[in-house]
Amino acid sequence: MTEAKLTWIEDELTSLKESGLFINLRVIDSAPGAWMQVDGKRVLNLCTNNYLGLANDERLVRAAKQAVDDFGVGPTAVRTIAGTLALHVELEKAIAVFKGVEDALYVQSGFVANQAALVPLVGREDVIFSDRLNHASIIDGARLSRAKIVVYEHTDAVDLEAKVKKHLPQYRRGLVVTDGVFSMDGDIAPLDKIYAVAETYGLMTMVDDAHGEGVLGKGGRGIVDHFGLHGKFDVEIGTFSKAFGVVGGAVAGKKVIVDYLRQKARPFLFSNAVTAADTAGCLAAVKVLSESTDLVDRLWKNTDTFKSAMVSLGFDVGKSVTPIVPVMLGDVKLAKNFSRRLFDEGVFAMALGFPTVPQGLARIRVMVSAALSQGDLDYGLEKFEKIGRELGVI
Ligand SMILES: *Cc1c(COP(=O)(O)O)cnc(C)c1O
């Protein structure tokens, strides 16, 4: 029996279940390759963020194993006390070179990287201009900073400028922050236009490149490279958990900022350093991408193949310009049912509903990967066609 003081939680869970929004966890029992073992079944993987297939790449695996042999499994200290390994420093240098920035800070995750950067950069007297659809970790970092948050319309630099004109004079300093790639729709921020506004009004600039690194720009150098804006954005947030295939986050950008964050960022000061194995895996990933554009080229080839075939079949794939393919279905129960039927047929693609996406805009989100062969893509497309017809979507 649930204690009286906690019955409200049971009511909340029941209401989630009734509205179809309850999240059921699938359990994975293999590497996240093209095919994986999910809830005891071998299925085609269309939903991890393993864009380049690096998560189980032999070069990364070997580097991580070697690091465990050399350094053990945990640093047992925060970076600022005794947790800074030579590997961390090497990775920070390597990612800075790869992204074409002055310096970088390696933290535990992309989620934490947003807190690490935002909280020291703005405070109560300041204002943050934030895209309406920014990632939850930007929103949380912004809230923690205690700065005033002004939301501008999604990817709308005209609205941004209007809001800046109206609000900036009441504050000490301003900062504009946006996702680079928006992970629910696969559209991208107009960084050139945002930069122009920021330049006019003297705003600090920050972009979260979590889904852009390893995907956009030359050889996956990210969204700033895609727009040719090197040296213009003050802070680039990154993650090693998506295209890089490992785990960890980065705050990359101007040296003066990274120097400051090494003194001030609370996740850096108060939470344990990332393990040697993860760090070595990240380093190996950066090395792979620095040496060749093959994987990124293949990712885009697969993306073009999959997207154009889905459109030919009659699916609405939204406005994505990246390997994220939202298959728009609208109703959350339809999306969940579609996902379940795909799974029966051996295809793993998750349905996303509120609050991850707005009410009424439920979808199946397919993440294309360089790890998929033509045969894998054909298999997935055949099943989408079958279920799409069965459920009256196409
Ligand atoms: C995934 C994501 C994050 C979180 O990255 P983790 O390394 O998984 O914590 C942060 N920001 C954006 C925009 C993301 O898509």
Side-chain angles (χ1 to χ4, degrees), residues 211-385:
H211 283 274
E213 286 172 340
V215 176
L216 294 173
K218 182 174 173 291
R221 281 161 176 77
I223 193 162
V224 169
D225 186 83
H226 173 83
F227 279 100
L229 290 170
H230 287 287
K232 310 269 200 221
F233 266 71
D234 298 316
V235 179
E236 293 175 47
I237 299 299
T239 177
F240 291 94
S241 72
K242 290 177 174 134
F244 289 95
V246 195
V247 76
V251 186
K254 308 240 166 97
K255 182 172 183 315
V256 63
I257 293 178
V258 178
D259 279 345
Y260 179 60
L261 297 184
R262 282 198 183 94
Q263 307 302 315
K264 292 280 184 180
R266 291 166 71 85
F268 190 76
L269 269 71
F270 297 109
S271 181
N272 199 87
V274 184
T275 68
D278 290 319
T279 312
C282 293
L283 247 177
V286 175
K287 187 152 180 283
V288 167
L289 289 189
S290 302
E291 284 168 357
S292 159
T293 65
D294 287 355
L295 287 174
V296 179
D297 296 344
R298 178 146 183 191
L299 168 66
W300 282 98
K301 183 166 163 288
N302 282 354
T303 299
D304 293 341
T305 304
F306 186 82
K307 248 193 224 168
S308 55
M310 286 293 280
V311 170
S312 302
L313 286 172
F315 284 103
D316 173 5
V317 297
K319 53 193 171 177
S320 172
V321 293
T322 63
I324 297 167
V325 186
V327 183
M328 305 306 291
L329 297 167
D331 178 59
V332 70
K333 286 186 176 152
L334 172 63
K336 295 218 163 181
N337 195 22
F338 202 117
S339 172
R340 224 172 355 251
R341 284 291 299 121
L342 282 172
F343 193 78
D344 294 341
E345 298 284 336
V347 174
F348 186 27
M350 282 296 253
L352 301 177
F354 184 79
T356 312
V357 296
Q359 298 269 20
L361 292 179
R363 65 201 67 181
I364 303 266
R365 188 182 61 168
V366 170
M367 309 297 291
V368 178
S369 167
L372 301 168
S373 69
Q374 184 60 47
D376 296 333
L377 291 168
D378 291 342
Y379 184 91
L381 287 163
E382 184 196 317
K383 299 305 181 188
F384 262 98
E385 180 175 11

Side-chain angles (χ1 to χ4, degrees), residues 109-112 114 135 137 179 181 183 208 210-211 239 241-242 248:
S109 73
F111 195 100
V112 148
N114 276 308
H135 190 262
S137 58
D179 275 26
V181 175
S183 58
D208 182 339
H211 283 274
T239 177
S241 72
K242 290 177 174 134

Side-chain angles (χ1 to χ4, degrees), residues 141-209:
R143 286 180 181 153
L144 267 180
S145 78
R146 295 191 168 97
K148 166 76 178 172
I149 299 165
V150 173
V151 170
Y152 64 89
E153 292 310 319
H154 179 53
T155 64
D156 187 343
V158 174
D159 188 51
L160 167 64
E161 178 158 20
K163 299 257 160 82
V164 172
K165 265 190 185 149
K166 176 160 180 232
H167 294 278
L168 185 63
Q170 281 109 65
Y171 296 92
R172 179 180 63 178
R173 282 191 285 272
L175 177 147
V176 58
V177 59
T178 181
D179 275 26
V181 175
F182 291 85
S183 58
M184 294 301 132
D185 291 298
D187 57 334
I188 65 178
L191 275 204
D192 48 351
K193 299 196 179 96
I194 289 170
Y195 176 71
V197 173
E199 184 67 356
T200 306
Y201 297 91
L203 302 176
M204 293 182 278
T205 47
M206 176 165 159
V207 58
D208 182 339
D209 203 18

